[in-house]
Amino acid sequence: MIKLYGSAESGHTFKVRLLLEVAALPYEYEEVDLRIDREARPEPFRSLAKYGEVPLLVHDGQPYVQSNAILLHLAQHTQAFGGETPERLARCREWLFWEANRIGTCLPHLRFGQRFDPQGYPPGVLEWMRTRFDADIARLDEELSDGRAFLLGDSPSIADCAICGYMFWPEQAGVSYPPQVTAWLERIRALPGWRHPYDMPGVIPF
């Protein structure tokens, strides 16, 4: 049995939901209101979520936290989407670390700063984040310029799920994407089970 606790506003949640939907894995979903202080969030989420954050995946009674760690667990569990071989999983792991350090840092802050808290960042921080995003998205576009459909080749993997997690709100972040990234996102949108983060079942956008 799989249960996912998450938020419609969380790209980290969307990474995991995208994989669950595309893989057609049965799961239950429960929305967590991130506007509630962590110590006041309902049980059993509060006790099971080690850092008090979404997403939280509970698989056969075992809790898993941090979106990229959850993706690695699911790839190994399904032996698909990058979990087919140790070599393929290693390539996924490289992309997941890149995502966490690069685009997974700047893009969420750009979105949060423009949508939720435009006055909450010190002067210059969001401008620096935008400069970093511009470099990251150009690097991703270069990676995709060799004609492959997805990051590891012809089939999607957890690397694609991780990197696209915050990329379906470009208007909220005030960003645009170069041609190869745009085409890659269209291929992700065409996968069976894909839906916009706000259109996933059971979500409650702010």
Side-chain angles (χ1 to χ4, degrees), residues 68 72 90-105 162-163:
N68 286 351
L72 286 166
R91 300 291 79 76
C92 285
R93 192 177 292 113
E94 290 172 351
W95 275 112
L96 267 57
F97 276 90
W98 182 85
E99 183 271 341
N101 182 53
R102 301 299 307 189
I103 207 163
T105 297
I163 292 175

Side-chain angles (χ1 to χ4, degrees), residues 118-189:
Q119 306 303 319
Y121 287 81
V125 169
L126 289 180
E127 289 79 3
W128 181 85
M129 289 285 180
R130 186 168 302 280
T131 299
R132 185 167 174 144
F133 169 80
D134 290 342
D136 293 343
I137 206 69
R139 184 70 184 90
L140 182 60
D141 199 63
E142 181 183 351
E143 283 286 331
L144 291 163
S145 66
D146 64 359
R148 66 187 187 270
F150 299 100
L151 292 172
L152 267 62
D154 293 334
S155 60
S157 70
I158 59 171
D160 301 281
C161 294
I163 292 175
C164 80
Y166 273 91
M167 295 183 73
F168 294 105
W169 293 288
E171 69 290 343
Q172 294 183 11
V175 300
S176 59
Y177 306 126
Q180 300 300 331
V181 172
T182 298
W184 168 70
L185 289 172
E186 286 303 316
R187 290 190 288 273
I188 292 174
R189 286 187 180 93

Side-chain angles (χ1 to χ4, degrees), residues 1-46:
M1 177 182 173
I2 297 175
K3 182 165 184 176
L4 178 67
Y5 296 83
S7 167
E9 298 291 354
S10 164
H12 297 297
T13 295
F14 180 68
K15 297 179 192 181
V16 178
R17 293 206 80 177
L18 176 61
L19 180 61
L20 291 169
E21 294 287 340
V22 172
L25 287 172
Y27 70 102
E28 296 179 11
Y29 176 75
E30 184 170 324
E31 184 83 0
V32 177
D33 190 342
L34 300 185
R35 293 167 293 189
I36 298 173
D37 291 340
R38 293 183 184 187
E39 61 273 14
R41 290 172 187 172
E43 294 288 6
F45 173 82
R46 190 168 70 249

Side-chain angles (χ1 to χ4, degrees), residues 75-92:
Q76 292 173 302
H77 169 68
T78 60
Q79 296 187 322
F81 299 97
E84 298 87 348
T85 66
E87 294 78 13
R88 191 166 162 85
L89 195 63
R91 300 291 79 76
C92 285

